[in-house]
Amino acid sequence: MIVKPQLARLGLFDAKVPRYTSYPTAPHFSNDVGSSLYGDWISDIKPGSSISLYIHVPFCRRLCWFCACRTQGTQTDNPVIAYVDVLKAELDLLAARLPEGVTLSRLHWGGGTPTLLNPDLMRDLAAHILDVVPLGPNAEFSVEIDPNEIDEARLDALAEAGMNRASIGVQDFDDEIQKTIGRIQSYDTTRKAAEMIRERGIHSLNADILYGLPHQTKTRMTESVQKLLSLNPDRVALYGYAHVPWMAKRQQMIPSDALPTPEQRLDLFDTARRLFMWDNYAEIGIDHFATQEDGLTRALKTGKLKRNFQGYTDDQAEVLIGVGASSISRFPQGYAQNAPATSAHTKAIREGRFSTSRGHLFKGQDILRSRLIEALMCDFKINSAEILRDHGISVSELNQMYQSANAAFDNLLSITEDGLFIPPEARPLTRMIARSFDAYDLSKAGHSSAI
Ligand code: SF4
């Protein structure tokens, strides 16, 4: 059994590693991809195929101190109304390029706070999206819902538009922790939001909570997870709080000396993890949990679990298009990212062109390494037969990759004829093991703690 001193020696408590929601990761994007190439990639989508759409709303009513999202605070609706017009214009540019018969497999509204749109704006935006690309059979339409920024009228509008999965942010239910991270959201507010969502027939509920927050202890983590479990979420994302005050200035409000140590972070994660497992949730990849009936659990059991910019997904669409400032799209040819600043994005769209400012064109072993890393992050194993079948690599080259990863981790990994496996006790090291299959220079990019 692997123990903390061994994890420490292997660098778990010091390492900064990517979360691998893409490969290569966003810091390696360059200006090789611009709006014209992005437009060509849209035109190249197979007619009649399924794609996914992510709509980004970079506005919030208040700016929580812990949050490193690029988002603007606004107390009025005016910037949001103007932004929805820009989103609609961007969707029109997309419509002009999209081949015939394309439908949506997934539609996700994220941010920021998409629920600060008023009900009329929600209806208008949803109608416009579905006019450009209709929902396909069994499509999922999910929205990130801020329990502090939702009411009956807005949920009615979303339910009428076809939302069938809701995602609520929780972070932690403890009062002192909430005050310290600058986000007050009582248990009653969250419970009421969950009830209002379910009353409208939306039975798929996701929740996000954080470990590694200031003043968090195992007892407080236990209380928060138990409160969360009382809401019966179908999926839970248990993310590590990343304290990067030099990048996210708001985090300077959070006292560094109240943060748990990396060793304590591992204990907090493990405390929450055990509670989900006792409650019969399936463990999904490195940081998600889902009920046995949930689509993520089915995808895990059938080897179809995937990873994209939103984390784990059962979506099988080859193309994911991001609409809105800073959104990232993925195509079989590579990645394309819209201009991060809302002003630059708006300017480009008003001039009648996509705002694509950077991206990555897949080359060399990118697609092979992307799949090796995704397989480790999703299944904790690499199936050699699948890789040899799909990626034209030789057995000896693949084995060489396995051997060098294993050597870097005290030979903790298991290598058999079937492939490479991360044993359960070594799973805290998964992101670091995935890094050993990453051919890019990671020294320049700022990544988050491995735990
Ligand atoms: S946590 Fe949500 S509401 Fe708070 S600043 Fe971040 S995106 Fe906005």
Side-chain angles (χ1 to χ4, degrees), residues 60 62-64 66-67 69 71 111-113 146 171 183 250:
C60 299
R62 72 244 149 111
L63 296 177
C64 314
F66 75 95
C67 177
C69 291
T71 177
T113 310
D146 179 348
Q171 328 315 336
R183 183 186 171 103
R250 302 195 290 270

Side-chain angles (χ1 to χ4, degrees), residues 18-22 52 54 105-108 140 142 144 165-167 205-208 211 234-240 269 282-291 294-301 303-317 320 370-381 422 427-432 434 450:
R19 305 189 56 74
Y20 288 116
T21 54
S22 71
S52 296
Y54 169 77
S105 140
R106 296 287 185 280
L107 169 60
H108 183 78
E140 218 169 74
S142 53
E144 290 171 16
R165 180 176 285 279
S167 192
L205 186 69
N206 300 6
D208 292 356
Y211 69 91
D234 300 271
R235 284 180 197 171
V236 178
L238 172 62
Y239 293 127
F269 177 85
E283 192 169 13
I284 309 291
I286 61 163
D287 53 14
H288 278 51
F289 301 87
T291 59
D294 188 81
L296 283 187
T297 310
R298 284 198 302 274
L300 177 70
K301 287 179 180 163
K304 290 186 168 167
L305 187 65
K306 305 268 184 209
R307 195 150 167 85
N308 69 12
F309 297 106
Q310 282 119 56
Y312 289 102
T313 180
D314 52 356
D315 184 19
Q316 306 299 311
L320 166 68
S370 169
R371 178 59 198 145
L372 293 172
I373 288 173
E374 182 183 52
L376 289 173
M377 297 290 289
C378 290
D379 303 318
F380 303 109
K381 67 179 184 203
I422 304 177
R427 288 184 181 176
L429 299 163
T430 299
R431 283 166 58 201
M432 297 175 65

Side-chain angles (χ1 to χ4, degrees), residues 176-383:
E176 187 188 9
I177 294 175
Q178 290 193 357
K179 278 187 202 128
T180 312
I181 64 172
R183 183 186 171 103
I184 307 297
Q185 180 183 313
S186 71
Y187 171 71
D188 283 344
T189 301
T190 308
R191 182 181 47 76
K192 190 155 173 265
E195 285 170 5
M196 287 195 298
I197 289 165
R198 289 205 165 108
E199 278 161 14
R200 281 158 183 78
I202 298 147
H203 292 297
S204 300
L205 186 69
N206 300 6
D208 292 356
I209 59 167
L210 291 177
Y211 69 91
L213 290 171
H215 304 302
Q216 216 170 27
T217 60
K218 285 201 258 184
T219 308
R220 285 174 163 176
M221 189 88 225
T222 301
E223 281 170 13
S224 274
V225 171
Q226 281 170 340
K227 280 184 174 164
L228 179 61
L229 287 171
S230 74
L231 305 178
N232 295 315
D234 300 271
R235 284 180 197 171
V236 178
L238 172 62
Y239 293 127
Y241 166 61
H243 191 62
V244 285
W246 54 94
M247 277 164 61
K249 296 275 180 263
R250 302 195 290 270
Q251 291 184 350
Q252 288 172 1
M253 304 290 287
I254 296 178
S256 307
D257 58 1
L259 293 170
T261 63
E263 289 85 346
Q264 288 166 334
R265 284 169 67 97
L266 181 62
D267 289 338
L268 289 166
F269 177 85
D270 208 45
T271 300
R273 175 183 169 273
R274 282 165 195 265
L275 290 165
F276 292 122
M277 304 303 280
W278 279 332
D279 230 47
N280 201 29
Y281 279 72
E283 192 169 13
I284 309 291
I286 61 163
D287 53 14
H288 278 51
F289 301 87
T291 59
Q292 298 298 326
E293 301 74 40
D294 188 81
L296 283 187
T297 310
R298 284 198 302 274
L300 177 70
K301 287 179 180 163
T302 52
K304 290 186 168 167
L305 187 65
K306 305 268 184 209
R307 195 150 167 85
N308 69 12
F309 297 106
Q310 282 119 56
Y312 289 102
T313 180
D314 52 356
D315 184 19
Q316 306 299 311
E318 264 195 337
V319 172
L320 166 68
I321 295 184
V323 175
S326 79
S327 291
I328 304 178
S329 303
R330 185 195 154 119
F331 295 84
Q333 299 93 328
Y335 300 110
Q337 182 170 23
N338 284 347
T342 308
S343 54
H345 178 69
T346 299
K347 181 171 180 292
I349 300 295
R350 289 204 174 130
E351 288 170 2
R353 58 188 169 84
F354 292 113
S355 80
T356 320
S357 63
R358 53 189 210 129
H360 181 83
L361 206 52
F362 290 136
K363 51 186 174 297
Q365 291 190 321
D366 284 346
I367 292 179
L368 160 71
R369 289 177 183 272
S370 169
R371 178 59 198 145
L372 293 172
I373 288 173
E374 182 183 52
L376 289 173
M377 297 290 289
C378 290
D379 303 318
F380 303 109
K381 67 179 184 203
I382 295 170
N383 177 336

